[in-house]
Amino acid sequence: MVWEALGSVAIGLALAYAALRWLPRRLPPRSLVLSTGPVAALLGALLTHAVLGPGHTLATLIAAFGMTAAMLSVLVRTDPRLRRSATA
């Protein structure tokens, strides 16, 4: 369980850092993104570990990746340059 937790935190940090590099203007402050990544990954790993039980490390890490991607996607804002008219 300890290695799953450390692996999921590493996945969360890596994905949060990649999101900051890829979409720097569309995300909230850096500290929020870098803290959301590992927390979401730990939550995903905990839920998966509780459902599947021990011995499913790969599935737990995949779920941590998915949960991190989902939570970071919630933080993405629309691009202010893409303003659209309500009548168009």
Side-chain angles (χ1 to χ4, degrees), residues 7-66:
S8 65
V9 167
I11 287 172
L13 275 174
L15 201 55
Y17 182 73
L20 281 172
R21 299 273 297 169
W22 189 41
L23 301 167
R25 294 183 184 175
R26 295 183 62 188
L27 287 169
R30 183 179 180 91
S31 60
L32 178 64
V33 175
L34 288 177
S35 62
T36 300
V39 169
L42 277 174
L43 180 62
L46 176 69
L47 289 174
T48 307
H49 186 80
V51 170
L52 296 178
H56 299 280
T57 305
L58 183 61
T60 301
L61 295 178
I62 290 171
F65 182 88

Side-chain angles (χ1 to χ4, degrees), residues 62-73:
I62 290 171
F65 182 88
M67 184 69 148
T68 303
M71 291 300 290
L72 289 176
S73 72

